[in-house]
Amino acid sequence: MTKKAVKGFSKLSKDGKIEWIANEYLNGDENCIHLLKSYWHNDKATQKIHDEFIENTISNFYLPFGIAPNFLINNEIFCIPMAIEESSVVAAAAKSATFWMERGGFKAEVLSTTKIGHVHFAWYGDYEILAAFFESIKHKFLEGTSHLTSNMRARGGGIKDIQLVNKTDLEPNYYQIMAKFETCEAMGANFINSLLEEFSKIFQAELENSSLSIDDKKVLILMCILSNYTPECIVRAEVSCNIEELTEGTNLSADEFAKKFEQAIHVARIEPYRATTHNKGIFNGIDAVVIATGNDFRAIEACGHTYASRNGSYSSLTDVEITEDGIFNFWIEIPLALGTIGGLTSLHPMVKFAHQLLGNPNAEQLMKIIASAGLAQNFGAIRSLVTTGIQKGHMKMHLLNILNQLGATEKERLEVKSYFETKVVSHQAVVEHFCKIRGINQKDLTKN
Ligand code: MEV
C-alpha cells in the first residue's frame, strides 16, 4: 500500500508521532508501540534531555557501554569507557591494555591543537588587487570579532591566523579566507562557524566601502564552514618493549612474531584494501570512546581517513619499527579534534559519567587517552591476525549472541558453550545443536 506523506509531523506530540507511524507504517501494531515506549527512560527529566538532543525523537536507541580497565597512559591508570555494539572490541582493548601495562604502558603526546575553517568565495577581478585589498583589511577581521573571541582569548585561545588563499588553479575565480583557531577545551565548531560567518560579513562590508571599482566590489560568498580535516591537531601515542617480551600467549618465537607484526603493518601502509580494514579496527577503539565521551565520531572518522590519505594513497594510521637492538616501537599519529566542554559533554548523563570516570580530562588529555585506545585496539587486532586469527575470539561472542537470540536457559548455554569449545562456531551448527539438546525441531524455533 502506498504510504501517505505527512505534514506537520514535527508538531505532533511524541505519542502522536508514534501513533501516526504505527497506523501508517505498522498496521497499528501494539507490540511496536509498546517496544518504542519501553525504551523511554523512567525518569521524565532524563527522557526530556534525550528528547531534545535531536528532532522528532520517538524513543531511545541503546548501545552497550563497556569498560576497558588497566590503561596505563603516561604513568597514570585509566578505566576507559567504550560505547559500541560490536562484540570483542572492549575485550581486545582490555587485553592489550593489560599486556602493555606490564611493559611500561602507553606514552602519549599532543603535537598540535590547531583547528581550521574557511570562507569559500568567488571573486572575478585581478588576484593582485584582491591580495592587496585583503592585506589592507586583515586587521578588521580580528577587531570586528573581538566581542566574539574575548572569552576564548581569556582561556588562551582565539584566532591564530587569517590568510587569503588563491584556489583558481583548481576552479576559476575560487578563493578562500582560511583561518586557524585555538579552541582550548571546546571542539569549537560553533565558535569557528560563527567567526567565519562574521568574517564574510566584514569582508563584504569592507569591499562595499572600499575605493575599488564597481566590478572589483563584486563577490559571491559561497559558504562559511569549519573544516573537519585538522592535520594540525595531532596526537601521538606509542608503546615499546624488547621483542622478547612480545610473545606471551602466542606460539611464535620473538623474531617470528615481530617480523609478522611488522609485515602486517607494512601491508596496511602500502595496500589500501588492507589499510581500510586496519584503520577500521583502530576506529573500533577510537569511536567507542569518542561516543562515550560525547564527541562527534563522524567528524573524527572523516578526518582520520583524510589524514590516512595525505600522501596520495590511503594508508595505515599506525606504524612500527624494530630497532637493531631488538626494541619494538609501535605508534599512532592521528588528528583528533575533541572537546571536553560544550555539546553533549555537560548534558548527557552517561557522557558526564564517562568524563568523571576518566578524571574529567581536558581536551589534550582526552586526545591522549583516545589515541592510546586506538593503538591498543590495533595492537590487539594485528596480534590476533598474525597468530590465532580473529575468528576464535569473535566466535565466542557470536555464540553468546546466538544463544541470546535463541532464548537459551543458563543450563543450555553452559552445555552449548562446552560443546563448541573444540568445534567451529557457525550459526547453523549452533542452532542444530541447541535444537538437539532442547529436543525440538528447527522449525519450532520461531515459537520460542
Ligand atoms: C573488526 O571489526 C576489525 C578488524 O578487522 C581489524 C583488522 O583487521 O585490523 C579485526
Side-chain angles (χ1 to χ4, degrees), residues 100 103 105-107 237-241 328-331 375 379:
W100 284 107
R103 291 157 181 80
F106 296 81
K107 301 282 174 259
E238 63 182 66
V239 285
S240 77
C241 70
F328 173 90
N329 294 318
F330 180 48
W331 69 90
L375 186 66
F379 178 78

Side-chain angles (χ1 to χ4, degrees), residues 86 89 274 277-282 284 378 381-382 385 390 394:
E86 186 176 330
V89 169
R274 173 57 203 148
T277 318
H278 177 96
N279 289 345
K280 185 273 182 190
I282 294 172
N284 277 345
N378 190 229
I382 303 301
L385 286 167
I390 56 153
H394 269 212

Side-chain angles (χ1 to χ4, degrees), residues 234-390:
I234 302 279
V235 56
R236 177 187 167 96
E238 63 182 66
V239 285
S240 77
C241 70
N242 195 299
I243 60 166
E244 300 298 334
E245 293 179 79
L246 279 174
T247 55
E248 183 190 293
T250 79
N251 51 8
L252 299 176
S253 74
D255 259 354
E256 279 169 340
F257 178 82
K259 285 255 151 54
K260 277 188 99 174
F261 197 101
E262 194 180 28
Q263 273 168 7
I265 301 295
H266 183 64
V267 168
R269 294 199 73 75
I270 58 168
E271 164 55 89
Y273 279 96
R274 173 57 203 148
T276 305
T277 318
H278 177 96
N279 289 345
K280 185 273 182 190
I282 294 172
F283 281 109
N284 277 345
I286 289 184
D287 285 356
V289 195
V290 168
I291 293 171
T293 56
N295 276 280
D296 179 346
F297 69 95
R298 285 88 54 205
I300 293 294
E301 280 241 10
C303 180
H305 295 305
T306 310
Y307 190 71
S309 314
R310 68 194 179 285
N311 296 324
S313 165
Y314 188 83
S315 178
S316 163
L317 288 164
T318 54
D319 205 351
V320 71
E321 155 194 78
I322 296 160
T323 64
E324 280 183 4
D325 48 348
I327 301 296
F328 173 90
N329 294 318
F330 180 48
W331 69 90
I332 184 167
E333 261 184 38
I334 187 169
L336 291 178
L338 298 168
T340 50
I341 59 168
L344 281 195
T345 51
S346 53
L347 289 175
H348 196 298
M350 291 301 289
V351 168
K352 274 201 243 176
F353 166 77
H355 282 263
Q356 191 184 349
L357 180 68
L358 291 171
N360 292 317
N362 63 24
E364 290 200 18
Q365 285 160 342
L366 189 61
M367 286 169 81
K368 296 180 208 173
I369 292 167
I370 293 182
S372 302
L375 186 66
Q377 207 70 55
N378 190 229
F379 178 78
I382 303 301
R383 186 175 139 98
S384 293
L385 286 167
V386 302
T387 55
T388 54
I390 56 153

Side-chain angles (χ1 to χ4, degrees), residues 40-278:
W40 289 359
H41 200 285
N42 282 336
D43 175 45
K44 285 208 165 104
T46 306
Q47 184 54 49
K48 189 164 181 290
I49 295 174
H50 286 75
D51 288 350
E52 291 175 359
F53 284 141
I54 61 164
E55 308 74 33
N56 295 344
T57 309
I58 57 168
S59 189
N60 306 309
F61 186 91
Y62 291 1
L63 271 186
F65 184 93
I67 296 294
N70 297 329
F71 264 88
L72 181 65
I73 304 169
N74 295 344
N75 302 320
E76 203 183 328
I77 297 180
F78 294 91
C79 263
I80 297 195
M82 302 177 87
I84 186 162
E85 87 301 345
E86 186 176 330
S87 59
S88 302
V89 169
V90 177
K95 196 170 163 194
S96 288
T98 304
F99 180 92
W100 284 107
M101 178 175 244
E102 289 153 11
R103 291 157 181 80
F106 296 81
K107 301 282 174 259
E109 172 187 19
V110 171
L111 304 180
S112 49
T113 56
T114 302
K115 318 275 170 56
I116 191 163
H118 303 91
V119 178
H120 302 266
F121 69 96
W123 195 73
Y124 307 93
D126 228 16
Y127 170 63
E128 276 67 37
I129 294 177
L130 179 64
F133 172 71
F134 188 84
E135 268 318 299
S136 73
I137 62 152
K138 208 165 152 177
H139 61 286
K140 305 252 175 173
F141 294 118
L142 294 183
E143 289 160 15
T145 54
S146 66
H147 60 296
L148 295 175
T149 58
S150 57
N151 280 346
M152 191 62 90
R153 279 184 284 121
R155 305 204 308 260
I159 302 161
K160 290 176 94 172
D161 191 18
I162 305 180
Q163 282 174 33
L164 174 71
V165 183
N166 183 348
K167 289 278 178 180
T168 53
D169 54 331
L170 296 178
E171 174 76 12
N173 312 314
Y174 172 35
Y175 298 90
Q176 301 169 341
I177 300 173
M178 186 276 293
K180 293 185 178 178
F181 306 88
E182 171 56 58
T183 60
C184 304
E185 310 318 332
M187 189 271 189
N190 284 333
F191 176 72
I192 294 174
N193 288 333
S194 299
L195 286 174
L196 292 169
E197 288 186 6
E198 213 52 38
F199 292 165
S200 94
K201 284 184 204 149
I202 293 169
F203 183 49
Q204 289 177 94
E206 291 298 326
L207 262 181
E208 196 47 48
N209 295 334
S210 73
S211 56
L212 295 182
S213 72
I214 300 264
D215 279 348
D216 285 343
K217 285 183 180 184
K218 280 192 198 137
V219 62
L220 179 93
I221 302 289
L222 192 57
M223 57 190 157
C224 309
I225 187 75
L226 93 170
S227 174
N228 285 120
Y229 183 42
T230 56
E232 292 177 44
C233 184
I234 302 279
V235 56
R236 177 187 167 96
E238 63 182 66
V239 285
S240 77
C241 70
N242 195 299
I243 60 166
E244 300 298 334
E245 293 179 79
L246 279 174
T247 55
E248 183 190 293
T250 79
N251 51 8
L252 299 176
S253 74
D255 259 354
E256 279 169 340
F257 178 82
K259 285 255 151 54
K260 277 188 99 174
F261 197 101
E262 194 180 28
Q263 273 168 7
I265 301 295
H266 183 64
V267 168
R269 294 199 73 75
I270 58 168
E271 164 55 89
Y273 279 96
R274 173 57 203 148
T276 305
T277 318
H278 177 96

